[in-house]
Amino acid sequence: MTSTQAPAPTAADITATRGQDSGGRNLFDDFAPLGNPLRDGLTDKRTPDPCVMVIFGVTGDLTARKLMPALWDLAVGHPLPEGFSIVGVSRRSWTDEEFREEMRAAVVRGARTPVTDEAWKQFSEGLFYVAGDFAAAQTYTDLASRLEAIDTERRTQGNRLFYLATSPTYFPDIIENLGTSGIAERREIYSDPRERWNRVVVEKPFGHDVESARQLIQEMATVFSEQQIYRIDHYLGKETVQNVMAFRFANILFEPVFNRSYVEHIQITAAEAIGVEGRGGYYEDSGALRDMVQSHLLQLLTVVAMEPPAVFRGDEVRDEKVKVLRSVVPPIGPQVDSRAIRGQYGAGYMGGKPVEGYLTERGVRPESQTETFVALKLEIDNWRWANVPFYLRTGKRLPRRVTEIAITFKKVPHLMFRNAVDTAPDSNVITMRIQPDEGIAIRFAAKVPGPTNKLRNVPMDFYYGSTFGETSPDAYERLILDAMLGDPTLFQRRDEVETAWGIVQPVLDGWANGLSPTRQYDSGTWGPAEADAMVREDGFHWRRP
Ligand code: BG6
């Protein structure tokens, strides 16, 4: 230890700095600065074992925009294991050198940390490329010999993280071939931390509906055990989403009022200003309900509505998430008409400039009814949330990019200032800003200075940026690192995925039967008028964030 390092903490320091429960257990071990005594041998360290990450579909958009920049930022800012290597697999006939050049350009474009020649040289020595068709056995023969050579040269010890960054149509071929080639080894449980491991990370969309999700779950289960499968939803890697749990469960102030006695309603918004940006082909098959609601918005709902897990660890957290998802009541039958509004952007103006509508985007069918906007009313049938409506809304080409969860509380039972106020104050609102302007605001009524009892709503605001003074890591950094460490807490378990599909399926069915037809909205507006009518009927209005 050097003289500048702080002395080792004493037991008293540890107790004093941690929020422990009465049994001495720390609910937020990952948020505490001193490590985690409850994690098992596999995850009780934040530097992963030496390993090779194999990315299928490495020439695609996701690798260039998200994965490679995140891996670079991780490599520079966090101790990745010695010899850490990445093998890209795709059909394009790149050499290792070409692959490295392409990845460098992607990192320069997308990473937080600037690229220097020396650091890049070191990082890129661990980048390799295998060209081949995902369905061809030869690809896996080539991959296997590449992996063996890397294990020998870079001492990666046979540990593998497979990452499926391809279109989902290739998932079955890749999984099957990983199994038959013997590259993947099915393991139920790793009892010895020194044993070599392999894990697979799967990108969304995980299935297209309940049936196809179940089928994919079955197919994957023939090659990998549930413990080896990491189903990613990048929203869970966002700092602000994890902070919803910290806000609720690491403070005594808020949790007592997070229930039906105090909360009037909850709005979850994920608005995007962009359109489908050249992904018309993908989007035609997906639409906003599958693309955003089944995954990201339901994840936001779980973190705001679940019961406190006993400990911040894989199964404990996911048990609670599944429990709350199982209590969600989606619109059923004719209710779909008024509780599941869909819209599609037409032409309009964004930032003063004219933009085209969805129907003229590349890859979109001219008569497409695909929704680029959804507004949904859900209920949660449990002790805590009965009769509190949850309104979810997402859309593309809305006026601005903003993702937030807004909890609106009931009004005070009796306002003693009624003769003196200009207007009765609105309800208290807690707004969790997921992005941008990451932070939390609490709105409350205050007395306006002066001789009368005038009241006004004022905000109490916390901003991540100014409080912590550094940019948050990208969601993919956290999630890739967790997968390497074997920590599944922020990944979706199979029952979670199935239950989430079960919530959107009645809406998909209702829409397929012509309920709640797709309504046009102009680009640059907040979606179709029917979405406003849905909340107005309950006496509310959408927030204009
Ligand atoms: C992706 C969707 O999962 O999430 C995209 O496929 C969407 O359509 C994106 O634009 C939004 O992610 P973020 O992190 O920008 O909110």
Side-chain angles (χ1 to χ4, degrees):
M1 184 188 283
T2 66
S3 55
T4 52
Q5 275 178 310
T10 63
D13 291 335
I14 293 173
T15 311
T17 50
R18 284 191 174 169
Q20 293 181 333
D21 68 10
S22 51
R25 294 183 310 173
N26 182 2
L27 302 185
F28 269 86
D29 42 8
D30 254 10
F31 293 88
L34 298 170
N36 175 354
L38 284 175
R39 283 170 183 276
D40 56 31
L42 285 175
T43 52
D44 192 17
K45 52 189 178 340
R46 297 305 287 175
T47 302
D49 302 321
C51 61
V52 184
M53 179 165 167
V54 181
I55 306 177
F56 291 92
V58 80
T59 51
D61 187 52
L62 181 74
T63 308
R65 272 191 319 112
K66 293 290 184 186
L67 303 184
M68 211 41 89
L71 283 160
W72 167 256
D73 284 323
L74 266 181
V76 179
H78 194 281
L80 279 186
E82 224 170 286
F84 173 68
S85 307
I86 301 168
V87 179
V89 185
S90 258
R91 271 166 303 181
R92 212 168 293 176
S93 57
W94 280 345
T95 60
D96 284 349
E97 255 336 295
E98 282 167 323
F99 175 51
R100 290 170 185 172
E101 279 313 305
E102 292 284 339
M103 293 305 106
R104 178 172 180 149
V107 167
V108 168
R109 275 196 307 273
R112 293 187 293 135
T113 330
V115 175
T116 61
D117 285 345
E118 202 183 323
W120 178 259
K121 184 169 174 297
Q122 203 188 342
F123 178 77
S124 64
E125 279 168 2
L127 298 188
F128 306 93
Y129 187 77
V130 170
D133 198 295
F134 299 129
Q138 185 59 41
T139 308
Y140 300 85
T141 312
D142 296 347
L143 176 62
S145 50
R146 249 318 163 82
L147 289 171
E148 265 172 46
I150 294 171
D151 278 345
T152 312
E153 282 159 30
R154 297 177 59 83
R155 294 201 277 278
T156 37
Q157 301 178 9
N159 297 319
R160 317 268 184 251
L161 183 68
F162 304 108
Y163 200 112
L164 308 193
T166 64
S167 145
T169 46
Y170 298 115
F171 291 174
D173 278 338
I174 298 171
I175 298 291
E176 193 190 327
N177 278 293
L178 282 174
T180 48
S181 64
I183 295 177
E185 292 168 38
R186 189 190 160 89
R187 306 297 291 271
E188 283 305 330
I189 196 106
Y190 292 91
S191 46
D192 180 348
R194 287 160 307 182
E195 252 181 297
R196 67 183 191 180
W197 50 259
N198 49 103
R199 307 185 182 119
V200 59
V201 182
V202 206
E203 268 292 338
K204 67 176 260 284
F206 196 87
H208 190 72
D209 51 20
V210 172
E211 267 320 301
S212 54
R214 281 193 188 132
Q215 197 182 329
L216 183 54
I217 286 170
Q218 297 298 343
E219 280 165 5
M220 292 198 71
T222 59
V223 177
F224 295 99
S225 72
E226 183 62 21
Q227 286 72 9
Q228 293 174 287
I229 302 173
Y230 288 70
R231 299 178 192 87
I232 207 165
D233 182 315
H234 78 277
Y235 267 50
L236 282 180
K238 290 181 191 278
E239 290 285 329
T240 42
V241 175
Q242 292 160 47
N243 192 48
V244 175
M245 293 185 271
F247 181 79
R248 290 188 58 203
F249 304 137
N251 295 293
I252 194 72
L253 267 184
F254 312 109
E255 200 46 25
V257 293
F258 261 58
N259 57 54
R260 65 189 304 269
S261 304
Y262 297 95
V263 175
E264 180 189 70
H265 75 280
I266 293 186
Q267 294 187 13
I268 301 178
T269 299
E272 294 185 278
I274 54 170
V276 290
E277 311 292 294
R279 295 161 78 220
Y282 155 78
Y283 210 78
E284 275 295 89
D285 263 349
S286 159
L289 188 68
R290 292 185 175 93
D291 186 47
M292 293 291 290
V293 179
Q294 188 276 339
S295 47
H296 309 326
L297 268 72
L298 286 181
Q299 286 299 326
L300 295 180
L301 178 139
T302 58
V303 292
V304 81
M306 71 182 184
E307 295 301 317
V311 60
F312 191 70
R313 194 169 49 186
D315 277 340
E316 285 81 351
V317 170
R318 295 180 304 171
D319 285 348
E320 294 306 336
K321 288 168 71 191
V322 171
K323 252 161 63 185
V324 77
L325 285 174
R326 288 206 180 119
S327 311
V328 170
V329 186
I332 306 279
Q335 286 178 338
V336 168
D337 223 21
S338 55
R339 294 185 176 197
I341 308 303
R342 50 178 164 159
Q344 185 187 78
Y345 63 81
Y349 287 85
M350 297 296 300
K353 294 204 182 88
V355 288
E356 60 176 338
Y358 178 72
L359 290 180
T360 52
E361 299 268 10
R362 191 155 40 89
V364 171
R365 288 169 291 128
E367 74 293 354
S368 170
Q369 292 296 304
T370 303
E371 79 286 357
T372 60
F373 174 98
V374 183
L376 200 61
K377 177 179 172 182
L378 299 175
E379 280 167 13
I380 299 184
D381 231 355
N382 66 14
W383 194 275
R384 184 193 283 261
W385 294 117
N387 298 323
V388 177
F390 281 68
Y391 301 105
L392 275 51
R393 144 180 89 150
T394 184
K396 295 203 186 279
R397 286 278 174 74
L398 301 186
R400 54 183 293 248
R401 173 175 184 250
V402 55
T403 302
E404 64 163 43
I405 302 172
I407 297 125
T408 301
F409 290 85
K410 294 184 173 171
K411 292 198 167 43
V412 290
H414 167 72
L415 192 64
M416 67 171 188
F417 303 106
R418 66 189 141 197
N419 294 330
V421 287
D422 277 348
T423 51
D426 290 336
S427 319
N428 296 138
V429 180
I430 296 181
T431 311
M432 303 178 183
R433 293 186 303 265
I434 306 297
Q435 60 190 25
D437 301 330
E438 288 80 0
I440 295 179
I442 300 178
R443 186 178 78 180
F444 62 99
K447 182 183 176 305
V448 178
T452 63
N453 280 333
K454 248 187 183 173
L455 300 176
R456 208 175 78 195
N457 287 311
V458 292
M460 201 151 68
D461 235 329
F462 150 67
Y463 283 89
Y464 263 85
S466 51
T467 303
F468 293 113
E470 54 183 69
T471 38
S472 298
D474 185 78
Y476 278 92
E477 287 176 54
R478 169 68 192 255
L479 295 173
I480 292 171
L481 183 64
D482 278 4
M484 284 185 200
L485 288 163
D487 183 347
T489 312
L490 300 176
F491 294 84
Q492 300 186 78
R493 218 167 49 189
R494 56 180 287 176
D495 48 351
E496 202 176 336
V497 171
E498 274 186 68
T499 316
W501 274 116
I503 294 168
V504 299
Q505 190 66 49
V507 176
L508 290 170
D509 295 344
W511 285 354
N513 289 329
L515 292 179
S516 184
T518 305
R519 270 91 179 192
Q520 292 279 311
Y521 60 97
D522 292 346
S523 285
T525 67
W526 283 101
E530 286 75 4
D532 295 326
M534 179 178 90
V535 289
R536 207 172 38 241
E537 204 153 282
D538 293 344
F540 309 129
H541 58 268
W542 288 109
R543 289 169 45 79
R544 290 283 178 259

